[in-house]
Structure formats: structure tokens, C-alpha cells
Amino acid sequence: MKYTVLSLFPALFEAFFRLSIPAKAVERGLIQYQCINIRDCAEDKHRTCDDAPYGGGAGMLMKTGPLGRALDSVGTKDKRVLYFSPAGRVLNQKMAEEFSREPELLLICGHYEGIDQRIIDLFVDDEVSVGDYVLSSGESAALVFIDATFRLVADVINPDSLKEESFRNGLLEYPQYTRPEVYQGIPVPEVLMSGHHEKIRQWRIRKQIEKTVGVRPDLIESGEFEPEISALIQEYRCERDKGNRKEPDKKGTGSV
């Protein structure tokens, strides 16, 4: 997998790829990267990359000239070209897995009020959003995207570590604990100390369901689950509903 990034601030990506797991993946040849400074493709002495939008309005827009030349310098053939925008498809784990299988991704980082629509029409294959909020630049979104995808490239991370992550089975991840056994009076759940693998597995699934129902019920409503998990979801809901039912007024006096 290769990432080619077009940005006004390429140093942000240089730093990312030189640290921790990304650096190890680069060293092992599992991922490659190239950072292009869009300003290097400007033709005036001030290296201007923005201009006022036609039709008026606040803010500035990235010009077609420098950005178009930056695209020409790396070529777009056989590359999937992405532009980060609030108008794009919202990134999720399924999309991250799809993009991680591409041989090369060309990422365009907008700035100011965005980029000229003609660049999008001519070059961009996918517009991607990292959430329903607005960022000051595309670099932040691109870093989130790279972090979500590079780790899914084969052999970057131990496959066993990816099996039970959030969203892998449609649920959020279960809580995890490490030493010490007791911290500020709170012990590690007893089942995790039991060595009983099946009980631990069942406990983790139940905790995933509990967390997902409480925090992201939309995942439950839209998910397609294995029969075992579907049954446990139903069981958890029944237990929760039963616990939420008010006890009948035994005296029959009603409320005051």
C-alpha cells in the first residue's frame, strides 16, 4: 500500500510516518508514502494557493493551478483519488477495510473553504468525511483516514489483535484490564481471573452488547449479527426491560 498526500503542510505526515507502528510498517516495506507540498507547484513568488470564490462569500478557495499541477506531478492513473470533505461519505470500519486493500491512494487535503469543484469533477474518485463536524483543514481528516486504514494492511498488526476490535462484529469492544489486580479499591472482574476461556468469551460478548446498547443503539438496530449474538442481544434487552419495570403498588393507592 502506498499513500501519496497532497498538502499545504506535508510535515504533519512526515512526522506521522516516522513514529511508532507507522514507522515500523514503513521500515518493513509494508506501506510507502510520498508527501507533495502543493505550494511547490505555485508559480508566483509568494507561492499563492488560494483566491476569492466566484459569486462572493467569506473565506478563500484553493486555486486550480497549484493543485492541478501537483496532481499532474504524481499522476492519477491507477491511483484511487480521495478528497476529504464534510460532503463526502462518512468513514466507517467497512470503508476503512475496503480502502486498505487498494495498492495506492492519492489523498487531497483541502484548506480554507475547500477546493475548486472542477478539481473534484476531473480527478476525485471518492469524497470522504470523517464525521459530521467541520475541521479547519483536510490534513486532520487525512491523518484520521490513514490511521484507520494503514493498520488494516496485511501484516502491519497481528491479525489476532484485529479480531475483537470495535465494529468488527458490529459491536463496540469489551472493557479490558491489566495489573494491578486491584486499583483504588476496584478489582479486576473475577471471571477474567478464572482461566475459564468459554466463560470469559461469554462475559466479553455480553459486555460488548451492554456497551453498544447503551452508547450506540444505532449499531444494534442496523447490524446483522451471528445467531449467538442476536440471541444474547435479545436476552440482554429482556433482562434490562424487566429491571426497568416498576413494581406494582401493592396497596393500590396509586401516586399522590
Side-chain angles (χ1 to χ4, degrees):
M1 156 73 86
K2 180 178 179 180
Y3 295 94
T4 299
V5 185
L6 307 187
S7 168
L8 294 174
F9 307 100
L12 291 171
F13 300 93
E14 296 284 354
F16 177 87
F17 283 112
R18 289 176 181 170
L19 296 172
S20 189
I21 298 174
K24 293 177 182 177
V26 170
E27 184 180 344
R28 294 167 60 198
L30 299 174
I31 60 172
Q32 298 174 288
Y33 72 96
Q34 179 183 16
C35 299
I36 304 297
N37 190 336
I38 298 170
R39 289 193 187 281
D40 292 341
C41 298
E43 294 185 322
D44 67 313
K45 66 178 182 179
H46 298 295
R47 303 169 79 199
T48 305
C49 290
D50 64 309
D51 205 342
Y54 282 114
M60 303 290 277
L61 204 65
M62 288 184 72
K63 298 173 66 176
T64 57
L67 186 49
R69 285 187 288 273
L71 286 161
D72 289 340
S73 73
V74 295
T76 57
K77 186 178 179 181
D78 299 325
K79 299 180 179 71
R80 193 163 177 179
V81 182
L82 277 61
Y83 168 58
F84 298 98
S85 161
R89 287 191 296 152
V90 178
L91 182 65
N92 58 31
Q93 191 67 17
K94 184 177 180 180
M95 288 170 60
E97 290 171 358
E98 172 197 339
F99 285 123
S100 73
R101 294 190 287 269
E102 292 286 333
E104 183 168 358
L105 296 170
L106 200 169
L107 312 181
I108 299 174
C109 301
H111 203 59
Y112 315 114
E113 292 299 307
I115 67 176
D116 191 295
Q117 182 64 38
R118 290 167 291 186
I119 293 290
I120 298 172
D121 294 341
L122 289 170
F123 299 103
V124 172
D125 297 310
D126 299 274
E127 290 187 68
V128 177
S129 168
V130 295
D132 293 336
Y133 45 84
V134 178
L135 298 169
S136 60
S137 71
E139 281 75 17
S140 300
L143 286 168
V144 168
F145 175 86
I146 293 170
D147 202 352
T149 53
F150 93 91
R151 60 194 304 280
L152 300 175
V153 173
D155 299 322
V156 169
I157 292 178
N158 186 327
D160 289 338
S161 297
L162 301 175
K163 286 181 181 178
E164 296 181 344
E165 289 187 318
S166 292
F167 311 114
R168 292 293 287 194
N169 62 355
L171 301 171
L172 301 179
E173 192 172 7
Y174 49 79
Q176 303 218 45
Y177 301 83
T178 187
R179 295 179 178 85
E181 187 175 332
V182 178
Y183 175 68
Q184 294 196 14
I186 304 172
V188 173
E190 190 174 328
V191 66
L192 299 179
M193 311 290 289
S194 69
H196 194 298
H197 298 300
E198 179 56 22
K199 287 183 178 180
I200 291 171
R201 187 185 74 84
Q202 289 280 333
W203 180 88
R204 285 175 168 171
I205 293 174
R206 289 177 181 275
K207 285 297 181 181
Q208 283 186 282
I209 292 169
E210 181 181 326
K211 181 73 171 179
T212 308
V213 170
V215 178
R216 291 290 306 275
D218 56 301
L219 294 177
I220 299 292
E221 298 304 324
S222 62
E224 295 181 6
F225 303 101
E226 296 175 0
E228 178 191 25
I229 292 178
S230 295
L232 288 171
I233 289 172
Q234 186 60 34
E235 181 181 309
Y236 172 77
R237 281 174 161 169
C238 289
E239 291 174 355
R240 183 194 58 178
D241 293 344
K242 185 177 179 180
N244 287 339
R245 287 197 198 103
K246 293 182 179 179
E247 288 293 326
D249 187 342
K250 294 179 180 179
K251 294 183 180 179
T253 56
S255 58
V256 177

PDB file of all heavy atoms in Angstrom, residues 82-99:
ATOM      1  N   LEU A  82      -8.757  10.505  -3.437  1.00  0.00           N
ATOM      2  CA  LEU A  82      -9.715  10.853  -2.388  1.00  0.00           C
ATOM      3  C   LEU A  82      -9.560  12.319  -2.012  1.00  0.00           C
ATOM      4  O   LEU A  82      -8.441  12.853  -1.961  1.00  0.00           O
ATOM      5  CB  LEU A  82      -9.484  10.011  -1.131  1.00  0.00           C
ATOM      6  CG  LEU A  82     -10.098   8.608  -1.056  1.00  0.00           C
ATOM      7  CD1 LEU A  82      -9.563   7.715  -2.158  1.00  0.00           C
ATOM      8  CD2 LEU A  82      -9.821   7.984   0.288  1.00  0.00           C
ATOM      9  N   TYR A  83     -10.686  12.952  -1.761  1.00  0.00           N
ATOM     10  CA  TYR A  83     -10.700  14.316  -1.250  1.00  0.00           C
ATOM     11  C   TYR A  83     -11.525  14.332   0.027  1.00  0.00           C
ATOM     12  O   TYR A  83     -12.620  13.774   0.086  1.00  0.00           O
ATOM     13  CB  TYR A  83     -11.299  15.272  -2.283  1.00  0.00           C
ATOM     14  CG  TYR A  83     -11.609  16.650  -1.750  1.00  0.00           C
ATOM     15  CD1 TYR A  83     -10.611  17.444  -1.186  1.00  0.00           C
ATOM     16  CD2 TYR A  83     -12.908  17.173  -1.802  1.00  0.00           C
ATOM     17  CE1 TYR A  83     -10.883  18.701  -0.689  1.00  0.00           C
ATOM     18  CE2 TYR A  83     -13.196  18.431  -1.307  1.00  0.00           C
ATOM     19  CZ  TYR A  83     -12.176  19.198  -0.749  1.00  0.00           C
ATOM     20  OH  TYR A  83     -12.446  20.444  -0.245  1.00  0.00           O
ATOM     21  N   PHE A  84     -10.992  14.960   1.077  1.00  0.00           N
ATOM     22  CA  PHE A  84     -11.659  14.967   2.381  1.00  0.00           C
ATOM     23  C   PHE A  84     -12.566  16.189   2.497  1.00  0.00           C
ATOM     24  O   PHE A  84     -12.114  17.324   2.356  1.00  0.00           O
ATOM     25  CB  PHE A  84     -10.620  14.927   3.495  1.00  0.00           C
ATOM     26  CG  PHE A  84      -9.808  13.671   3.439  1.00  0.00           C
ATOM     27  CD1 PHE A  84      -8.564  13.651   2.844  1.00  0.00           C
ATOM     28  CD2 PHE A  84     -10.328  12.473   3.920  1.00  0.00           C
ATOM     29  CE1 PHE A  84      -7.834  12.478   2.755  1.00  0.00           C
ATOM     30  CE2 PHE A  84      -9.607  11.297   3.822  1.00  0.00           C
ATOM     31  CZ  PHE A  84      -8.358  11.300   3.241  1.00  0.00           C
ATOM     32  N   SER A  85     -13.857  15.909   2.740  1.00  0.00           N
ATOM     33  CA  SER A  85     -14.862  16.961   2.706  1.00  0.00           C
ATOM     34  C   SER A  85     -16.045  16.571   3.581  1.00  0.00           C
ATOM     35  O   SER A  85     -16.418  15.395   3.643  1.00  0.00           O
ATOM     36  CB  SER A  85     -15.337  17.152   1.260  1.00  0.00           C
ATOM     37  OG  SER A  85     -16.573  17.821   1.202  1.00  0.00           O
ATOM     38  N   PRO A  86     -16.689  17.549   4.265  1.00  0.00           N
ATOM     39  CA  PRO A  86     -17.905  17.244   5.019  1.00  0.00           C
ATOM     40  C   PRO A  86     -19.027  16.715   4.129  1.00  0.00           C
ATOM     41  O   PRO A  86     -19.984  16.108   4.624  1.00  0.00           O
ATOM     42  CB  PRO A  86     -18.289  18.597   5.634  1.00  0.00           C
ATOM     43  CG  PRO A  86     -17.030  19.388   5.654  1.00  0.00           C
ATOM     44  CD  PRO A  86     -16.262  18.945   4.439  1.00  0.00           C
ATOM     45  N   ALA A  87     -18.903  16.930   2.815  1.00  0.00           N
ATOM     46  CA  ALA A  87     -19.930  16.468   1.874  1.00  0.00           C
ATOM     47  C   ALA A  87     -19.711  15.023   1.438  1.00  0.00           C
ATOM     48  O   ALA A  87     -20.510  14.487   0.673  1.00  0.00           O
ATOM     49  CB  ALA A  87     -19.957  17.376   0.641  1.00  0.00           C
ATOM     50  N   GLY A  88     -18.650  14.394   1.929  1.00  0.00           N
ATOM     51  CA  GLY A  88     -18.341  13.038   1.496  1.00  0.00           C
ATOM     52  C   GLY A  88     -19.052  11.963   2.295  1.00  0.00           C
ATOM     53  O   GLY A  88     -19.764  12.243   3.261  1.00  0.00           O
ATOM     54  N   ARG A  89     -18.846  10.706   1.876  1.00  0.00           N
ATOM     55  CA  ARG A  89     -19.355   9.568   2.640  1.00  0.00           C
ATOM     56  C   ARG A  89     -18.653   9.519   3.988  1.00  0.00           C
ATOM     57  O   ARG A  89     -17.431   9.709   4.060  1.00  0.00           O
ATOM     58  CB  ARG A  89     -19.084   8.255   1.904  1.00  0.00           C
ATOM     59  CG  ARG A  89     -19.933   8.005   0.680  1.00  0.00           C
ATOM     60  CD  ARG A  89     -19.754   6.560   0.226  1.00  0.00           C
ATOM     61  NE  ARG A  89     -18.394   6.276  -0.212  1.00  0.00           N
ATOM     62  CZ  ARG A  89     -17.832   5.078  -0.150  1.00  0.00           C
ATOM     63  NH1 ARG A  89     -18.489   4.038   0.363  1.00  0.00           N
ATOM     64  NH2 ARG A  89     -16.588   4.895  -0.582  1.00  0.00           N
ATOM     65  N   VAL A  90     -19.402   9.265   5.035  1.00  0.00           N
ATOM     66  CA  VAL A  90     -18.811   9.245   6.373  1.00  0.00           C
ATOM     67  C   VAL A  90     -18.018   7.949   6.554  1.00  0.00           C
ATOM     68  O   VAL A  90     -18.553   6.847   6.382  1.00  0.00           O
ATOM     69  CB  VAL A  90     -19.881   9.374   7.466  1.00  0.00           C
ATOM     70  CG1 VAL A  90     -19.243   9.312   8.854  1.00  0.00           C
ATOM     71  CG2 VAL A  90     -20.640  10.694   7.310  1.00  0.00           C
ATOM     72  N   LEU A  91     -16.770   8.091   6.907  1.00  0.00           N
ATOM     73  CA  LEU A  91     -15.864   6.949   7.063  1.00  0.00           C
ATOM     74  C   LEU A  91     -16.340   6.021   8.170  1.00  0.00           C
ATOM     75  O   LEU A  91     -16.693   6.458   9.262  1.00  0.00           O
ATOM     76  CB  LEU A  91     -14.456   7.452   7.395  1.00  0.00           C
ATOM     77  CG  LEU A  91     -13.358   6.404   7.545  1.00  0.00           C
ATOM     78  CD1 LEU A  91     -13.090   5.697   6.223  1.00  0.00           C
ATOM     79  CD2 LEU A  91     -12.075   7.046   8.080  1.00  0.00           C
ATOM     80  N   ASN A  92     -16.358   4.715   7.875  1.00  0.00           N
ATOM     81  CA  ASN A  92     -16.638   3.704   8.897  1.00  0.00           C
ATOM     82  C   ASN A  92     -15.656   2.545   8.721  1.00  0.00           C
ATOM     83  O   ASN A  92     -14.814   2.557   7.816  1.00  0.00           O
ATOM     84  CB  ASN A  92     -18.095   3.235   8.833  1.00  0.00           C
ATOM     85  CG  ASN A  92     -18.482   2.660   7.477  1.00  0.00           C
ATOM     86  OD1 ASN A  92     -17.649   2.083   6.759  1.00  0.00           O
ATOM     87  ND2 ASN A  92     -19.735   2.802   7.101  1.00  0.00           N
ATOM     88  N   GLN A  93     -15.771   1.550   9.571  1.00  0.00           N
ATOM     89  CA  GLN A  93     -14.797   0.459   9.548  1.00  0.00           C
ATOM     90  C   GLN A  93     -14.845  -0.334   8.239  1.00  0.00           C
ATOM     91  O   GLN A  93     -13.817  -0.746   7.718  1.00  0.00           O
ATOM     92  CB  GLN A  93     -15.024  -0.474  10.742  1.00  0.00           C
ATOM     93  CG  GLN A  93     -13.914  -1.481  10.976  1.00  0.00           C
ATOM     94  CD  GLN A  93     -12.606  -0.833  11.402  1.00  0.00           C
ATOM     95  OE1 GLN A  93     -12.585   0.329  11.824  1.00  0.00           O
ATOM     96  NE2 GLN A  93     -11.513  -1.566  11.302  1.00  0.00           N
ATOM     97  N   LYS A  94     -16.040  -0.529   7.709  1.00  0.00           N
ATOM     98  CA  LYS A  94     -16.175  -1.257   6.448  1.00  0.00           C
ATOM     99  C   LYS A  94     -15.463  -0.528   5.319  1.00  0.00           C
ATOM    100  O   LYS A  94     -14.766  -1.143   4.502  1.00  0.00           O
ATOM    101  CB  LYS A  94     -17.657  -1.439   6.109  1.00  0.00           C
ATOM    102  CG  LYS A  94     -17.903  -2.278   4.862  1.00  0.00           C
ATOM    103  CD  LYS A  94     -19.395  -2.489   4.629  1.00  0.00           C
ATOM    104  CE  LYS A  94     -19.631  -3.329   3.370  1.00  0.00           C
ATOM    105  NZ  LYS A  94     -21.084  -3.538   3.132  1.00  0.00           N
ATOM    106  N   MET A  95     -15.617   0.806   5.275  1.00  0.00           N
ATOM    107  CA  MET A  95     -14.912   1.599   4.266  1.00  0.00           C
ATOM    108  C   MET A  95     -13.413   1.535   4.474  1.00  0.00           C
ATOM    109  O   MET A  95     -12.644   1.432   3.513  1.00  0.00           O
ATOM    110  CB  MET A  95     -15.396   3.050   4.314  1.00  0.00           C
ATOM    111  CG  MET A  95     -16.790   3.262   3.771  1.00  0.00           C
ATOM    112  SD  MET A  95     -17.414   4.936   4.122  1.00  0.00           S
ATOM    113  CE  MET A  95     -16.182   5.965   3.292  1.00  0.00           C
ATOM    114  N   ALA A  96     -12.975   1.611   5.738  1.00  0.00           N
ATOM    115  CA  ALA A  96     -11.534   1.536   6.035  1.00  0.00           C
ATOM    116  C   ALA A  96     -10.950   0.224   5.526  1.00  0.00           C
ATOM    117  O   ALA A  96      -9.856   0.200   4.941  1.00  0.00           O
ATOM    118  CB  ALA A  96     -11.300   1.691   7.532  1.00  0.00           C
ATOM    119  N   GLU A  97     -11.668  -0.870   5.724  1.00  0.00           N
ATOM    120  CA  GLU A  97     -11.199  -2.168   5.247  1.00  0.00           C
ATOM    121  C   GLU A  97     -11.132  -2.194   3.722  1.00  0.00           C
ATOM    122  O   GLU A  97     -10.188  -2.730   3.134  1.00  0.00           O
ATOM    123  CB  GLU A  97     -12.126  -3.265   5.757  1.00  0.00           C
ATOM    124  CG  GLU A  97     -12.014  -3.486   7.264  1.00  0.00           C
ATOM    125  CD  GLU A  97     -13.080  -4.421   7.809  1.00  0.00           C
ATOM    126  OE1 GLU A  97     -13.945  -4.868   7.008  1.00  0.00           O
ATOM    127  OE2 GLU A  97     -13.058  -4.702   9.020  1.00  0.00           O
ATOM    128  N   GLU A  98     -12.118  -1.594   3.074  1.00  0.00           N
ATOM    129  CA  GLU A  98     -12.131  -1.536   1.609  1.00  0.00           C
ATOM    130  C   GLU A  98     -10.932  -0.747   1.095  1.00  0.00           C
ATOM    131  O   GLU A  98     -10.203  -1.210   0.207  1.00  0.00           O
ATOM    132  CB  GLU A  98     -13.431  -0.873   1.135  1.00  0.00           C
ATOM    133  CG  GLU A  98     -13.488  -0.587  -0.356  1.00  0.00           C
ATOM    134  CD  GLU A  98     -14.574   0.407  -0.729  1.00  0.00           C
ATOM    135  OE1 GLU A  98     -15.527   0.572   0.059  1.00  0.00           O
ATOM    136  OE2 GLU A  98     -14.457   1.027  -1.796  1.00  0.00           O
ATOM    137  N   PHE A  99     -10.717   0.449   1.644  1.00  0.00           N
ATOM    138  CA  PHE A  99      -9.615   1.292   1.182  1.00  0.00           C
ATOM    139  C   PHE A  99      -8.249   0.670   1.479  1.00  0.00           C
ATOM    140  O   PHE A  99      -7.290   0.882   0.737  1.00  0.00           O
ATOM    141  CB  PHE A  99      -9.705   2.677   1.819  1.00  0.00           C
ATOM    142  CG  PHE A  99     -10.770   3.558   1.237  1.00  0.00           C
ATOM    143  CD1 PHE A  99     -11.769   4.092   2.037  1.00  0.00           C
ATOM    144  CD2 PHE A  99     -10.784   3.857  -0.111  1.00  0.00           C
ATOM    145  CE1 PHE A  99     -12.760   4.907   1.509  1.00  0.00           C
ATOM    146  CE2 PHE A  99     -11.768   4.682  -0.665  1.00  0.00           C
ATOM    147  CZ  PHE A  99     -12.763   5.204   0.153  1.00  0.00           C
TER     148      PHE A  99
END
